Amino acid sequence: MRAFTGPDSTTWGVEVQNPGASNAVVLFRHPDARTGRFDRYAWYITRGSESQNVTGRLNKRAVLDSLGDADLQRLFRRSMPVSTDRSPATDIG
């Protein structure tokens, strides 16, 4: 996992998941570990030669290492919430 400081000075954890031949999910984990409802994700898409091999897979670590600060800022701006539930947890029972 790698650290990324967002525009509001929140320090997010960044990881790469679900790599395909030409894409992967970049997950921004909110620092409040008690809940994942603030986590965000964005798609990383490459047009490199490896994207032509439909049975190939991108290397998670290589993708994460290749992302510079400007890349993470761009991905974060385009990111979407993992969950749309923003309400506090309630006891329904």
Side-chain angles (χ1 to χ4, degrees), residues 26-43:
V26 177
L27 185 62
F28 294 91
R29 295 218 178 257
H30 193 270
D32 184 356
R34 295 175 293 164
T35 179
R37 73 176 184 254
F38 296 118
D39 291 353
R40 302 183 66 79
Y41 76 97
W43 284 99

Side-chain angles (χ1 to χ4, degrees), residues 8 16 23 27 31 34 40 45 52-54 59 69 81 85-86 89 93:
D8 64 350
V16 174
N23 58 42
L27 185 62
R34 295 175 293 164
R40 302 183 66 79
I45 300 172
Q52 302 302 312
N53 179 2
V54 296
N59 180 289
D69 290 338
D85 178 17
R86 298 288 186 184

Side-chain angles (χ1 to χ4, degrees), residues 33-76:
R34 295 175 293 164
T35 179
R37 73 176 184 254
F38 296 118
D39 291 353
R40 302 183 66 79
Y41 76 97
W43 284 99
Y44 166 83
I45 300 172
T46 182
R47 289 175 173 65
S49 60
E50 66 276 1
S51 67
Q52 302 302 312
N53 179 2
V54 296
T55 61
R57 294 288 173 256
L58 295 172
N59 180 289
K60 293 181 194 181
R61 185 81 237 168
V63 170
L64 190 58
D65 290 344
S66 74
L67 295 172
D69 290 338
D71 298 318
L72 289 174
Q73 290 171 2
R74 180 180 46 81
L75 286 167
F76 187 81

